[in-house]
């Protein structure tokens, strides 16, 4: 089973207190696609400009990511720059240049339309809708978002929530969306907006799943050294969807374990700038960290 992923395909310029790296391969879809590729074939939907480095295309291909749905358009690739504070949790967006994203209309190749697993990674909710409009009923649709869309596209996002099975968002976004500080109550309110599965990401403190009236807490893998957490959330949900698409049994029986795999892939993401560390991961390294995480939570 392959995973269809739509989201931003970007060049990221990232500054941390220790280093800065310009024009790295980034974007929600890039991080999620590479993360999912360790488990399943991935079909990518996105757009880049003519300035997009060839070696980044090679990198997608190295991960066997299907690029038939990646448009290369005249103009500049979406560029995002951000800066981290010393604690490596607080991040400030310095600049967002939309470039070719300004006029982007996702077009799904015929071979993409029957995909059973769909990840609507962070991108404008109107574009997430547009992708769903072109699909036959998938088995699982999960959407991610960011605070920007809560601020400027809330009606579109609320409409989208009625069309998805799962919704992944971070703690502050859950609080903003529901006007509820308590995450258990916030998750309950989000279920009422549509999604059956609600996953609230809490960065280095892991993630909480709410499904069928039950909660599950997935820890983050404790790291001694965080180099750059950009894309960790996208890697988490990408790894999760990749795992789910190949796991035997029902979605519900695999959700918890999929979050552990997502946490582990996200931990690798944090150990290098952009996708530098994630792209060096192997299935064996993932499995080893999953076993370590299992030991860490056993009591
Ligand atoms: P995360 O660290 O998981 O929140 O994701 C960071 C990624 O989000 C970066 O690679 C950025 O390129 C991407 N990103 C930043 N702003 C936007 C935006 N407005 N729309 C889509 N993607 C974005």
């Amino acid at each position: 089973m392959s995973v269809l992923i739509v989201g931003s395909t970007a060049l990221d310029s990232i500054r941390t207190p220790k280093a800065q790296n310009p024009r790295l391969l980034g974007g929600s879809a890039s991080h999620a696609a590479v993360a999912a590729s360790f488990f399943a074939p991935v079909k990518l939907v996105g757009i880049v400009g003519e300035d997009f480095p060839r070696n980044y295309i090679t990198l997608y291909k190295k991960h066997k990511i299907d690029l038939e749905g990646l448009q290369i358009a005249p103009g500049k690739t979406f560029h995002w720059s951000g800066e981290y504070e010393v604690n490596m949790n607080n991040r400030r967006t310095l600049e967002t240049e939309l470039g070719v994203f300004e006029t982007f209309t996702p077009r799904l190749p015929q071979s993409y339309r029957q995909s059973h697993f769909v990840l609507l990674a962070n991108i404008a909710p109107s574009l997430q809708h547009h992708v769903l409009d072109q699909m036959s009923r998938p088995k699982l649709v999960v959407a991610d978002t960011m605070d920007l869309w809560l601020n400027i596209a809330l009606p579109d996002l609320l409409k989208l929530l009625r069309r998805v099975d799962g919704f992944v968002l971070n703690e502050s976004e859950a609080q903003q969306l529901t006007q509820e500080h308590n995450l258990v109550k916030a998750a309950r309110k989000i279920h009422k907006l549509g999604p059956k599965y609600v996953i609230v990401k809490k960065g280095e403190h892991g993630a909480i799943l709410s499904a069928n009236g039950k909660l599950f807490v997935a820890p983050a893998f404790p790291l001694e050294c965080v180099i750059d957490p950009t894309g960790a959330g996208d890697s988490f949900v990408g790894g999760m969807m990749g795992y789910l698409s190949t796991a035997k049994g029902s979605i519900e029986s695999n959700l918890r374990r999929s979050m552990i795999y997502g946490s582990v892939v996200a931990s690798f993401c944090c150990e290098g700038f952009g996708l530098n560390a994630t792209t060096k991961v192997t299935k064996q390294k993932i499995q080893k960290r999953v076993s370590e995480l299992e030991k860490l939570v056993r009591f």
Side-chain angles (χ1 to χ4, degrees):
M1 292 269 188
S2 59
V3 185
L4 183 147
I5 298 179
V6 63
S8 56
T9 35
L11 295 175
D12 285 352
S13 296
I14 300 163
R15 213 183 286 167
T16 68
K18 293 216 173 106
Q20 65 184 70
N21 273 285
R23 299 170 73 77
L24 296 161
L25 174 60
S28 58
S30 305
H31 281 283
V34 172
S37 74
F38 296 111
F39 307 95
V42 175
K43 297 181 186 303
L44 183 69
V45 181
I47 188 168
V48 295
E50 284 160 333
D51 59 345
F52 195 67
R54 286 292 318 166
N55 57 321
Y56 291 170
I57 297 279
T58 311
L59 215 138
Y60 286 140
K61 287 186 178 160
K62 193 186 133 215
H63 287 269
K64 304 207 164 43
I65 296 169
D66 186 339
L67 300 179
E68 206 190 331
L70 181 71
Q71 299 173 33
I72 301 178
K76 291 204 162 160
T77 302
F78 176 81
H79 178 241
W80 173 81
S81 56
E83 181 176 34
Y84 286 89
E85 287 177 17
V86 179
N87 68 14
M88 295 300 279
N89 286 323
N90 299 346
R91 177 172 80 190
R92 194 161 65 93
T93 291
L94 300 172
E95 212 177 354
T96 304
E97 296 158 89
L98 287 179
V100 289
F101 256 105
E102 215 150 352
T103 52
F104 178 45
T105 309
R107 273 191 309 271
L108 260 54
Q110 206 56 44
S111 61
Y112 280 38
R113 293 175 187 231
Q114 314 289 330
S115 303
H116 291 307
F117 290 80
V118 179
L119 172 56
L120 307 171
N122 173 28
I123 198 174
S126 57
L127 299 179
Q128 294 175 312
H129 274 288
H130 201 77
V131 167
L132 281 188
D133 291 343
Q134 296 170 67
M135 303 213 56
S136 320
R137 175 70 195 137
K139 192 169 166 195
L140 180 71
V141 180
V142 171
D144 195 350
T145 196
M146 73 185 292
D147 54 354
L148 176 70
W149 312 122
L150 294 174
N151 294 332
I152 69 167
L154 187 60
D156 281 348
L157 182 66
L158 291 175
K159 242 185 269 161
L160 184 81
L161 292 185
R162 293 201 284 273
R163 302 181 72 186
V164 303
D165 306 294
F167 187 40
V168 178
L169 71 177
N170 67 32
E171 192 173 5
S172 58
E173 291 156 2
Q175 289 162 340
Q176 183 180 342
L177 176 64
T178 59
Q179 299 295 305
E180 176 58 67
H181 190 78
N182 180 291
L183 288 184
V184 178
K185 289 182 185 159
R188 206 176 294 140
K189 284 190 176 176
I190 297 171
H191 284 303
K192 292 206 174 109
L193 299 173
K196 193 169 170 197
Y197 314 122
V198 176
I199 294 176
V200 182
K201 296 174 288 181
K202 290 159 61 74
E204 64 180 328
H205 303 296
I208 298 178
L209 162 74
S210 169
N212 300 322
K214 290 190 187 131
L215 297 176
F216 172 67
V217 180
F221 187 85
L223 291 174
E224 203 169 313
C225 183
V226 171
I227 302 285
D228 168 23
T230 308
D234 310 310
S235 305
F236 169 80
V237 67
M240 213 188 93
M241 288 297 278
Y243 180 85
L244 279 174
S245 70
T246 50
K248 290 199 182 81
S250 67
I251 303 281
E252 271 153 41
S253 63
N254 288 304
L255 259 181
R256 294 177 174 208
R257 186 160 284 270
S258 77
M259 287 173 68
I260 300 296
Y261 277 84
S263 280
V264 163
V265 183
S267 72
F268 286 110
C269 170
C270 295
E271 291 183 304
F273 266 96
L275 274 150
N276 289 352
T278 321
T279 49
K280 293 190 186 74
V281 171
T282 59
K283 202 69 195 280
Q284 288 73 19
K285 286 185 186 170
I286 293 173
Q287 203 49 57
K288 188 162 176 277
R289 246 183 212 185
V290 167
S291 305
E292 286 172 41
L293 197 51
E294 260 176 332
K295 284 189 203 128
L296 283 171
V297 296
R298 193 174 299 148
F299 63 90

